[in-house]
Amino acid sequence: DTAVSQTPKYLVTQMGNDKSIKCEQNLGHDTMYWYKQDSKKFLKIMFSYNNKELIINETVPNRFSPKSPDKAHLNLHINSLELGDSAVYFCASSRGRTGVTGELFFGEGSRLTVL
Amino acid sequence: QQPVQSPQAVILREGEDAVINCSSSKALYSVHWYRQKHGEAPVFLMILLKGGEQKGHEKISASFNEKKQQSSLYLTASQLSYSGTYFCGTESDKIIFGKGTRLHILP
């Protein structure tokens, strides 16, 4: 069983479209994250949820909206896609929250290409 | 307040040692180290906690100087499988990753 799974693994879409990425973890962790890795390999945190509560919301355009229906799932919806949104989006989870996070377990990533 | 990693890239021959450094300007709870191979997700190597506790990989060691907010990752007797990009993640109110150090091991 994959600990942190993301779908889809690849998305290719046109500018202006809307897309969603889903993430599920079966580790029983309380905290989940979205990280964006751009073409220069910089891993930047976007959002974090702890038990369905948003605890980290970085300076991310409003076109990005995370949703956590329960503590095992964290989805990312992106509206009006732009070229600069092309990146690999990683979902991650950890046992703890800020300050006592423990190791991050990453999903395999979802590569988004906006044409 | 992204941590600064050095060097940016290292090329070694199998069996040689390497040190990767990470420094932050903020007071830290912990420092994380991850390795990412091309096309794959980052994988946890080690976490160093404030107060001296460490958890992680058997063959990789690291240090954390709390006063200087600096950490170093020590790769000894490197193997081909060590190739990849190494990220340090510094944790204060959230985990922020450095830009990475690319390590390439030659046979």
Side-chain angles (χ1 to χ4, degrees):
Chain A
D1 272 349
T2 304
V4 181
S5 58
Q6 297 177 226
T7 56
K9 286 188 172 47
Y10 300 95
L11 304 93
V12 180
T13 188
Q14 299 286 334
M15 277 177 57
N17 285 348
D18 303 339
K19 287 293 178 187
S20 292
I21 306 171
K22 295 186 176 182
C23 179
E24 176 182 2
Q25 56 95 4
N26 62 7
L27 297 167
H29 288 167
D30 288 336
T31 310
M32 296 184 72
Y33 310 79
W34 280 112
Y35 278 86
K36 177 182 179 181
Q37 188 169 46
D38 60 23
S39 57
K40 295 183 179 179
K41 304 301 181 186
F42 176 31
L43 262 173
K44 183 177 179 183
I45 189 166
M46 301 173 70
F47 303 104
S48 177
Y49 273 76
N50 177 264
N51 277 322
K52 301 194 295 178
E53 176 193 356
L54 181 65
I55 57 172
I56 295 174
N57 186 354
E58 289 296 285
T59 309
V60 176
N62 291 337
R63 300 181 294 102
F64 289 80
S65 53
K67 281 190 181 171
S68 181
D70 56 62
K71 75 173 193 175
H73 295 85
L74 180 60
N75 304 324
L76 183 66
H77 187 75
I78 315 170
N79 290 325
S80 304
L81 279 157
E82 300 178 358
L83 293 176
D85 298 332
S86 295
V88 180
Y89 292 85
F90 284 102
C91 176
S93 72
S94 68
R95 188 178 309 279
R97 58 178 294 168
T98 303
V100 285
T101 303
E103 66 179 280
L104 295 178
F105 289 79
F106 285 88
E108 292 181 334
S110 297
R111 180 177 294 276
L112 172 64
T113 303
V114 182
L115 303 174
Chain B
Q1 297 88 2
Q2 183 182 26
V4 177
Q5 282 187 238
S6 63
Q8 288 186 334
V10 184
I11 299 176
L12 297 176
R13 293 213 169 270
E14 201 173 4
E16 293 181 338
D17 302 338
V19 180
I20 301 172
N21 301 302
C22 176
S23 65
S24 173
S25 58
K26 292 186 73 171
L28 304 174
Y29 287 115
S30 65
V31 177
H32 297 224
W33 287 95
Y34 293 79
R35 176 171 59 215
Q36 184 179 31
K37 293 185 178 287
H38 183 69
E40 298 180 7
V43 174
F44 171 78
L45 293 176
M46 177 158 296
I47 184 171
L48 300 107
L49 303 172
K50 191 176 175 181
E53 186 178 358
Q54 296 185 13
K55 299 178 185 177
H57 203 285
E58 286 181 1
K59 296 185 179 180
I60 294 174
S61 62
S63 63
F64 177 26
N65 185 323
E66 294 175 34
K67 286 185 179 179
K68 293 185 177 180
Q69 308 304 326
Q70 293 175 347
S71 178
S72 294
L73 185 72
Y74 305 97
L75 304 169
T76 56
S78 57
Q79 304 170 15
L80 292 175
S81 62
Y82 287 9
S83 289
T85 301
Y86 289 77
F87 292 97
C88 75
T90 54
E91 182 174 14
S92 50
D93 56 345
K94 52 185 171 277
I95 299 172
I96 300 177
F97 287 96
K99 292 186 176 180
T101 297
R102 291 189 309 280
L103 177 65
H104 188 64
I105 310 293
L106 300 172

